[in-house]
Amino acid sequence: MKHDTTARTRQIVAAATDCIGRRGFHLTFIDDIARAVAISPALIYRHFAGKQSIIVVLVNEHLAEIRAASTRAAAEPDASMALNLFWVLVALAAC
């Protein structure tokens, strides 16, 4: 059964997030991420050029979440600037 490329990519990114969160960027290797997803390192390289490429995806996803939270916070007519900042920081912490 062939896996959906998007689903596999999401699994790899999720595993990388977990591994890097626990061990840090420099102590996380492609082999660690592959083991977490139960795939071969070669399969990761079919989806990403390397660990740095995975990081680019992670950063872009989190920036999009922060932008969306900022936009929602700014759209609240009754909210103070401090409350808006609070919600942006909550979104950032969730990343």
Side-chain angles (χ1 to χ4, degrees):
M1 171 191 292
K2 183 177 166 93
H3 287 286
D4 176 21
T5 301
T6 304
R8 178 64 77 198
T9 300
R10 295 295 328 130
Q11 288 176 326
I12 294 167
V13 171
T17 301
D18 182 57
C19 291
I20 292 168
R22 282 187 285 111
R23 299 187 66 196
F25 179 78
H26 294 294
L27 294 177
T28 297
F29 302 95
I30 291 294
D31 287 352
D32 300 321
I33 298 166
R35 194 174 333 41
V37 184
I39 61 174
S40 71
L43 189 52
I44 289 181
Y45 288 111
R46 291 183 69 190
H47 294 272
F48 296 96
K51 189 169 60 169
Q52 293 81 2
S53 298
I54 298 170
I55 291 299
V56 168
V57 170
L58 289 170
V59 169
N60 285 333
E61 286 179 356
H62 294 307
L63 285 176
E65 292 171 12
I66 292 166
R67 278 191 210 106
S70 299
T71 301
R72 285 191 307 274
E76 291 294 323
D78 297 330
S80 68
M81 182 60 100
L83 184 59
N84 289 343
L85 180 58
F86 169 77
W87 286 115
V88 170
L89 293 174
V90 167
L92 182 59
C95 295

